[in-house]
Amino acid sequence: MYIYRMEQELKSEITKQHIIHEAFKLFYEKGFKSTSINEVMKAAKMSKGAFYHHYKSKHQLGLEVIELKIKKRVYDGMIVPLKGPGNAIEILENTFLNRIKSFPFYEKQHGCPMNKFINEIGNYESSYQLALKNIIEKWKKALVILIEIGKNQNDIKKEIPSEAVAVYLISAFEGIRGIRKLYDNDSILDQYISGLSVYLNQLKA
């Protein structure tokens, strides 16, 4: 009985992960509001009944997509690298530049998933707003910690306002992800990279 229950729980979790994966792709490409539950389940090759077996509503699914897909992307791509060894300025430069260079053409066309969610539903529902804000706050906190370390190690000017720099770096990165969608080549990204290098050099002690 115990083994059977474990197998059912594993099967249920795999099914949920599959639904979340397909939902994320559709929300990213079409938008959250424009995507129906029917479309998600068609993409997942499952019935609508299967959806309601695992989720109470599209709202609940949206929260899980934010938590398990968008948050993980930001954590893996933009927060974990900040915790590596080395000079704070070099870590900042490598983190932001490596990430911007790593995006495939598909993501350059569609922009940043988190940014799209923020623009579409950031003020649509308080629970979405809180979930998205939580990701930004964790990212900002990780940046502030690194900047403070840089100050203590005399790599970054001590008078630099850490939170302001963190917010600026996040905003510039998210902004260029959206702007890139308007172009058919990476020239605008090259200009962003040059501008970022100039800005980070100005932070050096």
Side-chain angles (χ1 to χ4, degrees):
M1 188 68 179
Y2 174 75
I3 293 175
Y4 174 77
R5 187 168 68 250
M6 290 291 290
E7 287 176 347
Q8 289 301 109
E9 288 176 358
L10 178 60
K11 183 179 178 181
S12 177
E13 185 58 31
I14 291 172
T15 299
K16 287 181 69 175
Q17 291 297 329
H18 181 56
I19 293 171
I20 289 168
H21 178 71
E22 295 300 331
F24 170 73
K25 289 197 296 183
L26 285 171
F27 295 163
Y28 182 32
E29 292 174 4
K30 293 186 57 179
F32 177 80
K33 293 180 182 178
S34 299
T35 302
S36 67
I37 291 173
N38 283 337
E39 288 173 307
V40 171
M41 299 317 289
K42 183 178 179 182
K45 296 181 173 59
M46 295 179 184
S47 68
K48 196 171 182 179
F51 173 85
Y52 285 109
H53 178 72
H54 296 284
Y55 294 100
K56 294 179 181 179
S57 64
K58 181 182 171 184
H59 174 268
Q60 185 185 16
L61 175 62
L63 286 174
E64 293 220 355
V65 167
I66 292 171
E67 182 68 22
L68 300 178
K69 284 291 188 178
I70 295 177
K71 182 178 178 180
K72 187 177 188 307
R73 283 173 58 93
V74 174
Y75 182 78
D76 291 346
M78 300 305 299
I79 295 178
V80 170
L82 297 175
K83 300 176 181 180
N87 177 288
I89 293 290
E90 291 175 354
I91 292 172
L92 286 172
E93 190 167 34
N94 289 336
T95 298
F96 282 87
L97 299 193
N98 288 344
R99 186 62 171 161
I100 206 73
K101 291 175 181 176
S102 72
F103 293 116
F105 181 69
Y106 168 80
E107 292 200 26
K108 290 175 181 177
Q109 279 185 312
H110 291 85
C112 174
M114 180 172 67
N115 207 351
K116 292 187 78 170
F117 264 69
I118 290 171
N119 289 332
E120 186 182 10
I121 61 172
N123 62 345
Y124 175 65
E125 162 69 46
S126 60
S127 56
Y128 292 139
Q129 185 179 46
L130 185 61
L132 291 163
K133 181 181 175 182
N134 182 52
I135 297 172
I136 295 293
E137 287 298 315
K138 287 183 182 299
W139 188 3
K140 185 177 80 170
K141 181 180 179 180
L143 283 166
V144 168
I145 289 171
L146 177 61
I147 293 165
E148 289 295 319
I149 290 172
K151 289 181 184 181
N152 292 334
Q153 295 178 344
N154 295 316
D155 296 323
I156 294 177
K157 295 174 183 174
K158 295 192 182 297
E159 67 270 21
I160 292 296
S162 300
E163 286 201 22
V165 170
V167 170
Y168 177 78
L169 288 172
I170 292 170
S171 301
F173 183 82
E174 289 299 309
I176 197 62
R177 295 291 315 281
I179 292 171
R180 172 58 180 83
K181 293 189 295 182
L182 304 174
Y183 294 81
D184 57 7
N185 60 59
D186 285 344
S187 61
I188 196 74
L189 290 184
D190 293 335
Q191 292 166 3
Y192 162 79
I193 289 169
S194 296
L196 178 63
S197 296
V198 170
Y199 178 73
L200 291 177
N201 277 330
Q202 292 174 347
L203 302 182
K204 290 181 180 178

